[in-house]
PDB file of all heavy atoms in Angstrom:
ATOM      1  N   TYR A  95       3.667  -2.999   0.857  1.00 90.00           N
ATOM      2  CA  TYR A  95       3.690  -3.885  -0.301  1.00 90.00           C
ATOM      3  C   TYR A  95       4.357  -5.215   0.119  1.00 90.00           C
ATOM      4  O   TYR A  95       5.203  -5.205   1.043  1.00 90.00           O
ATOM      5  CB  TYR A  95       4.442  -3.274  -1.493  1.00 90.00           C
ATOM      6  CG  TYR A  95       5.853  -2.869  -1.184  1.00 90.00           C
ATOM      7  CD1 TYR A  95       6.935  -3.704  -1.354  1.00 90.00           C
ATOM      8  CD2 TYR A  95       6.148  -1.577  -0.681  1.00 90.00           C
ATOM      9  CE1 TYR A  95       8.234  -3.324  -1.054  1.00 90.00           C
ATOM     10  CE2 TYR A  95       7.396  -1.171  -0.372  1.00 90.00           C
ATOM     11  CZ  TYR A  95       8.460  -2.052  -0.568  1.00 90.00           C
ATOM     12  OH  TYR A  95       9.732  -1.683  -0.261  1.00 90.00           O
ATOM     13  N   PRO A  96       4.026  -6.320  -0.532  1.00 86.00           N
ATOM     14  CA  PRO A  96       4.648  -7.575  -0.150  1.00 86.00           C
ATOM     15  C   PRO A  96       5.985  -7.790  -0.788  1.00 86.00           C
ATOM     16  O   PRO A  96       6.326  -7.187  -1.796  1.00 86.00           O
ATOM     17  CB  PRO A  96       3.611  -8.623  -0.673  1.00 86.00           C
ATOM     18  CG  PRO A  96       2.999  -7.976  -1.828  1.00 86.00           C
ATOM     19  CD  PRO A  96       2.954  -6.496  -1.521  1.00 86.00           C
ATOM     20  N   THR A  97       6.798  -8.629  -0.144  1.00 86.00           N
ATOM     21  CA  THR A  97       8.012  -9.102  -0.800  1.00 86.00           C
ATOM     22  C   THR A  97       7.650  -9.972  -1.975  1.00 86.00           C
ATOM     23  O   THR A  97       6.510 -10.459  -2.080  1.00 86.00           O
ATOM     24  CB  THR A  97       8.896  -9.894   0.176  1.00 86.00           C
ATOM     25  OG1 THR A  97       8.158 -11.015   0.662  1.00 86.00           O
ATOM     26  CG2 THR A  97       9.266  -9.015   1.383  1.00 86.00           C
ATOM     27  N   ARG A  98       8.604 -10.188  -2.844  1.00 78.00           N
ATOM     28  CA  ARG A  98       8.332 -11.029  -4.013  1.00 78.00           C
ATOM     29  C   ARG A  98       8.566 -12.477  -3.680  1.00 78.00           C
ATOM     30  O   ARG A  98       9.552 -13.106  -4.131  1.00 78.00           O
ATOM     31  CB  ARG A  98       9.174 -10.558  -5.208  1.00 78.00           C
ATOM     32  CG  ARG A  98       8.800  -9.194  -5.726  1.00 78.00           C
ATOM     33  CD  ARG A  98       9.544  -8.866  -6.999  1.00 78.00           C
ATOM     34  NE  ARG A  98      10.955  -8.712  -6.731  1.00 78.00           N
ATOM     35  CZ  ARG A  98      11.651  -7.552  -6.887  1.00 78.00           C
ATOM     36  NH1 ARG A  98      11.017  -6.491  -7.328  1.00 78.00           N
ATOM     37  NH2 ARG A  98      12.927  -7.483  -6.650  1.00 78.00           N
ATOM     38  N   ARG A  99       7.689 -13.051  -2.866  1.00 70.00           N
ATOM     39  CA  ARG A  99       7.786 -14.462  -2.489  1.00 70.00           C
ATOM     40  C   ARG A  99       6.509 -15.164  -2.979  1.00 70.00           C
ATOM     41  O   ARG A  99       5.408 -14.627  -2.857  1.00 70.00           O
ATOM     42  CB  ARG A  99       7.884 -14.645  -0.979  1.00 70.00           C
ATOM     43  CG  ARG A  99       9.152 -14.074  -0.365  1.00 70.00           C
ATOM     44  CD  ARG A  99       9.291 -14.485   1.066  1.00 70.00           C
ATOM     45  NE  ARG A  99      10.373 -13.804   1.737  1.00 70.00           N
ATOM     46  CZ  ARG A  99      10.721 -14.038   2.993  1.00 70.00           C
ATOM     47  NH1 ARG A  99      10.041 -14.906   3.718  1.00 70.00           N
ATOM     48  NH2 ARG A  99      11.729 -13.368   3.539  1.00 70.00           N
ATOM     49  N   ALA A 100       6.667 -16.338  -3.512  1.00 58.00           N
ATOM     50  CA  ALA A 100       5.511 -17.087  -4.017  1.00 58.00           C
ATOM     51  C   ALA A 100       4.685 -17.624  -2.850  1.00 58.00           C
ATOM     52  O   ALA A 100       5.204 -18.301  -2.000  1.00 58.00           O
ATOM     53  CB  ALA A 100       5.980 -18.244  -4.900  1.00 58.00           C
ATOM     54  N   SER A 101       3.426 -17.258  -2.836  1.00 57.00           N
ATOM     55  CA  SER A 101       2.412 -17.807  -1.950  1.00 57.00           C
ATOM     56  C   SER A 101       2.627 -17.548  -0.461  1.00 57.00           C
ATOM     57  O   SER A 101       2.054 -18.226   0.375  1.00 57.00           O
ATOM     58  CB  SER A 101       2.270 -19.331  -2.177  1.00 57.00           C
ATOM     59  OG  SER A 101       3.402 -20.035  -1.660  1.00 57.00           O
ATOM     60  N   GLU A 102       3.457 -16.583  -0.100  1.00 63.00           N
ATOM     61  CA  GLU A 102       3.648 -16.245   1.324  1.00 63.00           C
ATOM     62  C   GLU A 102       3.216 -14.800   1.571  1.00 63.00           C
ATOM     63  O   GLU A 102       3.539 -13.915   0.815  1.00 63.00           O
ATOM     64  CB  GLU A 102       5.098 -16.417   1.723  1.00 63.00           C
ATOM     65  CG  GLU A 102       5.601 -17.843   1.788  1.00 63.00           C
ATOM     66  CD  GLU A 102       6.964 -17.929   2.417  1.00 63.00           C
ATOM     67  OE1 GLU A 102       7.902 -17.413   1.785  1.00 63.00           O
ATOM     68  OE2 GLU A 102       7.118 -18.518   3.490  1.00 63.00           O
ATOM     69  N   ALA A 103       2.465 -14.606   2.641  1.00 62.00           N
ATOM     70  CA  ALA A 103       1.950 -13.263   2.995  1.00 62.00           C
ATOM     71  C   ALA A 103       2.976 -12.551   3.844  1.00 62.00           C
ATOM     72  O   ALA A 103       2.845 -12.429   5.069  1.00 62.00           O
ATOM     73  CB  ALA A 103       0.622 -13.412   3.739  1.00 62.00           C
ATOM     74  N   VAL A 104       4.036 -12.059   3.202  1.00 79.00           N
ATOM     75  CA  VAL A 104       5.140 -11.390   3.904  1.00 79.00           C
ATOM     76  C   VAL A 104       5.251  -9.953   3.425  1.00 79.00           C
ATOM     77  O   VAL A 104       5.705  -9.721   2.284  1.00 79.00           O
ATOM     78  CB  VAL A 104       6.464 -12.140   3.681  1.00 79.00           C
ATOM     79  CG1 VAL A 104       7.579 -11.457   4.425  1.00 79.00           C
ATOM     80  CG2 VAL A 104       6.343 -13.594   4.099  1.00 79.00           C
ATOM     81  N   PRO A 105       4.846  -8.966   4.222  1.00 85.00           N
ATOM     82  CA  PRO A 105       5.046  -7.572   3.804  1.00 85.00           C
ATOM     83  C   PRO A 105       6.503  -7.194   3.929  1.00 85.00           C
ATOM     84  O   PRO A 105       7.255  -7.707   4.752  1.00 85.00           O
ATOM     85  CB  PRO A 105       4.159  -6.814   4.779  1.00 85.00           C
ATOM     86  CG  PRO A 105       4.112  -7.669   5.991  1.00 85.00           C
ATOM     87  CD  PRO A 105       4.171  -9.097   5.506  1.00 85.00           C
ATOM     88  N   ALA A 106       6.936  -6.244   3.096  1.00 90.00           N
ATOM     89  CA  ALA A 106       8.329  -5.791   3.145  1.00 90.00           C
ATOM     90  C   ALA A 106       8.589  -4.961   4.401  1.00 90.00           C
ATOM     91  O   ALA A 106       9.715  -4.890   4.878  1.00 90.00           O
ATOM     92  CB  ALA A 106       8.653  -4.986   1.904  1.00 90.00           C
ATOM     93  N   SER A 107       7.557  -4.309   4.949  1.00 92.00           N
ATOM     94  CA  SER A 107       7.678  -3.624   6.221  1.00 92.00           C
ATOM     95  C   SER A 107       7.396  -4.615   7.360  1.00 92.00           C
ATOM     96  O   SER A 107       6.686  -5.606   7.175  1.00 92.00           O
ATOM     97  CB  SER A 107       6.668  -2.444   6.319  1.00 92.00           C
ATOM     98  OG  SER A 107       7.010  -1.451   5.358  1.00 92.00           O
TER      99      SER A 107
END
Side-chain angles (χ1 to χ4, degrees):
Y95 56 91
T97 60
R98 292 187 293 243
R99 296 189 188 182
S101 72
E102 289 187 296
V104 181
S107 293

